[in-house]
Amino acid sequence: MSDRGDHADPAFVADATVEVENASVWFGQKVALSELTCSFGPGVTGLLGPNGAGKSTLMRAVVGLIGVNAGHVTVEGRDPRTDRDVHRRIALVPEDEAVPAQLTARQLVQYVADLHGVRDAGAAERALDQVDMMPAADRKLRGFSKGMRQRAKVAAALVTDPPVLVLDEPLNGADPVQRASLIDLFRGLGAEGRTVIVSSHVLSEVERLADRVLVLIHGRLAAAGNQRAIRDAMDDRPRHVLIRSEEPRRLGAALLRMGTVAGVSLTDAGLVVTTDRAGDLAVAVAPAARKLGIRLREVRPLDDSLESLFQELVR
Amino acid sequence: MSEAPATGRSTTSALSAVVRYTVRACIPAQRILLLLPVVGAVLFGLLSRLSDEDVTTAFVRVGGTAMHTLVLPITCLVIGDALLGAEIRSGVFAFTWLSPVRYSTIVAGRWLGGCLIATVLLVPAAVGSALAAGAPSAAGAAAVAAVAGAGAYLALFLAIGASFKRPVVWSLVLVVLVERLLGAALAGIAQLSPGWLAQATLVGLTHPAADLHREGIPDGWAAVGRLVVVSLVGLAIATRRLRSLKPASSAD
């Protein structure tokens, strides 16, 4: 797979540390990953996708928490499911809120350090300091907020100094200040040459975090590339807008004549228009209604959620 | 970034880390609950005084039986679930599983930690029960039986925790259906049952009335030896099952 980077396929990197080849994972009848092929290398890579897209499944397969039903996942050429030594080189920050509630943050980080045989006595302290957890280091995890638990887990991952770091929704629950601090930290780790894989279902978050983005939908790779390529792919897609007004039929006809909409349909909820010029529509709809003497009640995009934008990518 | 983290391979330090973690993680927040085994065992010891038999026989028949059919398995079930099953269910086990530590070290550490907690809870319970029954000479034997039985129970509950999605249910099936119902009727099951073997240990070491000896199963130190074998088999199964484990996330 090493030659894939030369072909400039955005799903691959030239100096891959994590390689996923035709990986499929299913749970009973539910397919979580479907013949996914991609690779990850030094720097921050964002995994973007709606809930249920397969991001967590991919991350759990990369660290070996689950095996793939078909295909291969390798970390530095080794199978993370069967080779225990891989865990010296990779760390996961799981999305779960679950933490050993009876332990303090310091005890959790020290436990992980001990399991990995970290001999540096100050490693735990430094890891806690990196995520600004020192003031709360000796408090039990059971009293922590979601954001603090996330930071404690990040510290537990950092204490082993892993070259590959897998972060599943690491910003969940963090307040804006913590969020900015964690984003800086992750970007710094990527700049040091580590492979950092970060998942999120929030587009703006991934844009701030990662230079390279992979979009997953229904367990498949829907798009890959830099942020701009992903944005452009989304912006080129038609949007649906609901317009609730008096005389929707007349208004729809007028909008069609103006050329700002590509199609209209009358539904129980109101007039639904399809447009690939959402900005123009936003400017034109109010004057058009006023000109016709029609009162507008509501103008609302129907597909501004990330998921619906993603759906457009795979239509 | 450093090319390789400053780490070393030491099974002993990993084992002690797992043991320390287990002891910390398994002790409930409400410490008062830790007194329940002692309170229960002492009450059953006091009940032994109602018997007309000699104190040792009365203690083995009432206090010992209650200890090995109720206090011991229930205490071990609670500890045993906390050792592995509860962590796998909640997703917390990933912190341990995602490490280079060998599965056998993880299992041994969890078991040793559980045994430490069980010893702290059950030895005072067993001794207290014997003293409350007025049979201080049986206290040592009661403690040996409790510790050996706890070791075997915890190993089996670890194996169940690593094998089933609902370990508490399966552990109850083992204790209630297999041990109590089938074990009462079939010596072949009783001779592999931690509860029956713990009782046989007490019987063999205290020499009470002859009718308390059960035919077909070893007693005394031979029963302790059998409990050690059961423990080793349980630990081997748990280690083997960890290899194919898919630690859950709380979202699963």
Side-chain angles (χ1 to χ4, degrees):
Chain A
M1 279 174 61
S2 59
D3 62 334
R4 280 172 171 157
D6 302 335
H7 294 112
D9 183 336
F12 303 99
V13 292
D15 45 355
T17 47
V18 177
E19 294 181 291
V20 180
E21 192 167 4
N22 288 320
S24 296
V25 176
W26 54 84
F27 303 104
Q29 297 292 311
K30 186 182 183 310
V31 177
L33 285 184
S34 180
E35 296 180 342
L36 183 70
T37 300
C38 59
S39 64
F40 303 88
V44 184
T45 302
L47 266 186
L48 190 60
N51 291 328
K55 304 185 297 294
S56 293
T57 302
L58 174 60
M59 294 183 136
R60 287 157 64 80
V62 164
V63 297
L65 274 177
I66 56 171
V68 292
N69 297 100
H72 304 282
V73 175
T74 56
V75 177
E76 297 181 338
R78 294 182 289 181
D79 182 351
R81 184 73 188 149
T82 57
D83 188 343
R84 298 287 292 160
D85 267 348
V86 170
H87 298 300
R88 291 186 190 281
R89 310 283 295 164
I90 190 167
L92 168 74
V93 175
E95 185 189 5
D96 306 325
E97 273 192 69
V99 285
Q102 309 285 74
L103 269 60
T104 65
R106 189 191 302 276
Q107 285 168 342
L108 173 66
V109 175
Q110 189 59 55
Y111 173 56
V112 174
D114 290 343
L115 288 180
H116 285 76
V118 175
R119 295 187 184 283
D120 182 350
E125 199 128 317
R126 277 199 306 280
L128 287 161
D129 195 39
Q130 273 185 289
V131 294
D132 301 324
M133 281 295 290
M134 279 310 288
D138 294 309
R139 279 174 48 197
K140 299 258 189 203
L141 291 165
R142 87 164 75 90
F144 278 17
S145 66
K146 187 174 183 180
M148 290 173 79
R149 288 180 182 207
Q150 286 294 96
R151 283 190 290 149
K153 288 187 289 181
V154 172
L158 292 178
V159 75
T160 63
D161 194 22
V164 182
L165 195 57
V166 182
L167 308 156
D168 196 357
E169 307 267 3
L171 303 180
N172 273 2
D175 65 36
V177 176
Q178 293 166 358
R179 201 170 277 253
S181 163
L182 285 172
I183 287 173
D184 286 345
L185 172 65
F186 300 147
R187 289 193 73 92
L189 293 168
E192 288 174 8
R194 295 174 208 269
T195 299
V196 182
I197 307 170
V198 191
S199 75
S200 176
H201 58 276
V202 181
L203 183 59
S204 60
E205 219 169 73
V206 173
E207 280 181 336
R208 291 172 63 194
L209 263 168
D211 303 319
R212 177 173 173 257
V213 181
L214 302 183
V215 181
L216 284 187
I217 297 174
H218 301 315
R220 290 175 176 273
L221 189 64
N226 59 27
Q227 299 160 11
R228 190 178 179 86
I230 301 294
R231 260 285 182 213
D232 288 348
M234 290 179 177
D235 286 347
D236 287 348
R237 304 288 154 174
R239 305 282 181 88
H240 297 94
V241 179
L242 171 70
I243 301 174
R244 288 180 59 235
S245 69
E246 298 163 347
E247 301 184 66
R249 200 178 294 272
R250 272 181 68 210
L251 180 61
L255 291 172
L256 272 174
R257 279 196 300 275
M258 290 165 62
T260 49
V261 298
V264 297
S265 60
L266 206 52
T267 69
D268 291 344
L271 181 69
V272 175
V273 302
T274 306
T275 177
D276 51 8
R277 293 163 55 196
D280 292 347
L281 176 66
V283 173
V285 67
R290 198 179 311 119
K291 190 174 172 186
L292 294 169
I294 294 172
R295 179 180 292 183
L296 287 175
R297 295 202 183 96
E298 183 184 11
V299 178
R300 176 164 57 91
L302 287 176
D303 47 11
D304 250 9
S305 74
L306 197 57
E307 182 159 14
S308 56
L309 287 176
F310 287 152
Q311 302 302 344
E312 296 296 341
L313 280 174
V314 289
R315 264 185 197 162
Chain B
M1 185 188 67
S2 56
E3 184 56 32
T7 59
R9 291 163 180 270
S10 168
T11 303
T12 320
S13 62
L15 181 69
S16 69
V18 177
V19 173
R20 281 199 309 275
Y21 168 85
T22 305
V23 171
R24 281 178 181 142
C26 289
I27 294 177
Q30 292 174 301
R31 302 280 159 91
I32 191 86
L33 295 176
L34 298 174
L35 291 174
L36 282 178
V38 177
V39 172
V42 167
L43 286 176
F44 286 118
L46 288 172
L47 272 180
S48 308
R49 289 179 178 264
L50 300 177
S51 171
D52 294 334
E53 296 175 296
D54 71 276
V55 287
T56 302
T57 300
F59 166 63
V60 173
R61 195 183 301 282
V62 180
T65 302
M67 180 77 188
H68 301 127
T69 57
L70 284 174
V71 178
L72 174 67
I74 291 173
T75 304
C76 289
L77 201 154
V78 173
I79 298 171
D81 185 53
L83 288 181
L84 195 62
E87 285 212 353
I88 292 174
R89 280 197 302 280
S90 68
V92 170
F93 188 61
F95 289 104
T96 304
W97 200 92
L98 290 171
S99 72
V101 178
R102 287 185 301 181
Y103 297 122
S104 55
T105 306
I106 294 173
V107 169
R110 294 280 167 135
W111 180 73
L112 283 171
C115 286
L116 275 175
I117 297 170
T119 300
V120 169
L121 297 183
L122 292 172
V123 167
V127 170
S129 181
L131 295 178
S137 60
V144 170
V147 172
Y153 266 128
L154 292 176
L156 290 181
F157 293 151
L158 265 173
I160 289 173
S163 306
F164 298 102
K165 277 197 170 175
R166 292 179 177 80
V168 175
V169 173
W170 287 104
S171 299
L172 281 171
V173 167
L174 172 78
V175 172
V176 177
L177 294 182
V178 179
E179 281 201 299
R180 286 301 112 206
L181 292 180
L182 293 176
L186 303 170
I189 287 178
Q191 62 177 286
L192 297 171
S193 145
W196 284 104
L197 286 169
Q199 177 70 359
T201 301
L202 180 64
V203 169
L205 295 179
T206 54
H207 309 296
D211 68 306
L212 283 168
H213 288 271
R214 183 168 176 184
E215 288 297 318
I217 68 171
D219 61 17
W221 290 109
V224 173
R226 185 66 63 89
L227 284 167
V228 171
V229 171
V230 172
S231 302
L232 292 175
V233 170
L235 295 176
I237 294 171
T239 302
R240 187 170 176 78
R241 293 298 304 167
L242 272 196
R243 288 181 212 284
S244 53
L245 184 75
K246 294 179 180 176
S249 74
S250 58
D252 289 342

